[in-house]
Amino acid sequence: ALALIEPGMSVMINDGSMAAILGARMTERRPLTVITNNDAVTGALKGEAGITLIALGGLYSPKFNAYMGKVTEDALASLRADIAFVSTPAVDGTEVFHMDDDVVRAKRAMMAAATRRCLLVNHRRFGHTALHKLADLSEFDHIITDRAPAPEAMAPLDAAGLTLTCATNQETPT
């Protein structure tokens, strides 16, 4: 995911532990503008030279260590980024899911405000659903995981012609 970021870009990073890991590494690509609702990313980047940090306000959710709600969504509606990194706890077939409606709305607002969209998903999250549909995989320009999911989870992606990038070895199964 870090390879998709070039100095001078504006980058959105959502809530989630995978997103927090990426956020902490943003200093490797400075100068950047980083827009986030993720409190861990805000904590890692505040005060860093070469990082213009836009911390999205809103209602703090301890469960997600992030800010959500109308204030967050309104702020995102007035911004534009080169790329948004969105994470998810569930992918089933070619659909992406999340268990919390507030989180889905914040993620959708980031997706709408970005020129390119990148999904970050742990390989263990494939083959799972959650209450709310977030998106179709086809809405993302990049789908990045830590390693290839089970073959039965890859089959729908292959059938749809979607490319999955595995971060551990940079292979791209199709």
Side-chain angles (χ1 to χ4, degrees), residues 23-89:
R25 295 190 60 192
M26 291 287 108
T27 56
E28 296 174 35
R29 296 289 195 241
R30 64 181 118 194
L32 293 172
T33 297
V34 178
I35 304 162
T36 188
N37 66 335
N38 188 322
D39 199 45
V41 173
T42 302
L45 297 179
K46 66 182 176 186
E48 284 289 337
I51 301 291
T52 300
L53 180 63
I54 299 175
L56 300 168
L59 182 62
Y60 179 71
S61 168
K63 179 177 181 180
F64 299 108
N65 193 29
Y67 295 86
M68 307 290 175
K70 184 169 175 16
V71 172
T72 306
E73 294 163 36
D74 287 350
L76 286 165
S78 67
L79 298 169
R80 189 76 178 156
D82 296 308
I83 192 166
F85 291 93
V86 176
S87 56
T88 187

Side-chain angles (χ1 to χ4, degrees), residues 72-159:
T72 306
E73 294 163 36
D74 287 350
L76 286 165
S78 67
L79 298 169
R80 189 76 178 156
D82 296 308
I83 192 166
F85 291 93
V86 176
S87 56
T88 187
V91 175
D92 189 47
T94 60
E95 297 180 319
V96 181
F97 297 90
H98 199 282
M99 70 291 270
D100 187 276
D101 185 52
D102 285 333
V103 175
V104 168
R105 286 195 314 274
K107 290 175 189 289
R108 289 294 311 175
M110 283 188 179
M111 291 172 66
T115 302
R116 292 186 298 151
R117 290 158 295 284
C118 179
L119 181 68
L120 304 174
V121 57
N122 184 294
H123 76 282
R124 290 183 223 115
R125 306 299 188 165
F126 286 87
H128 298 279
T129 64
L131 183 59
H132 302 282
K133 181 178 174 183
L134 169 62
D136 287 312
L137 286 175
S138 63
E139 295 179 60
F140 295 93
D141 301 292
H142 303 277
I143 306 165
I144 299 176
T145 189
D146 55 331
R147 68 176 101 146
E152 60 272 12
M154 277 301 300
L157 281 73
D158 292 339

Side-chain angles (χ1 to χ4, degrees), residues 147-172:
R147 68 176 101 146
E152 60 272 12
M154 277 301 300
L157 281 73
D158 292 339
L162 296 170
T163 300
L164 180 68
T165 301
C166 298
T168 54
N169 57 14
Q170 293 301 306
E171 290 178 11
T172 308

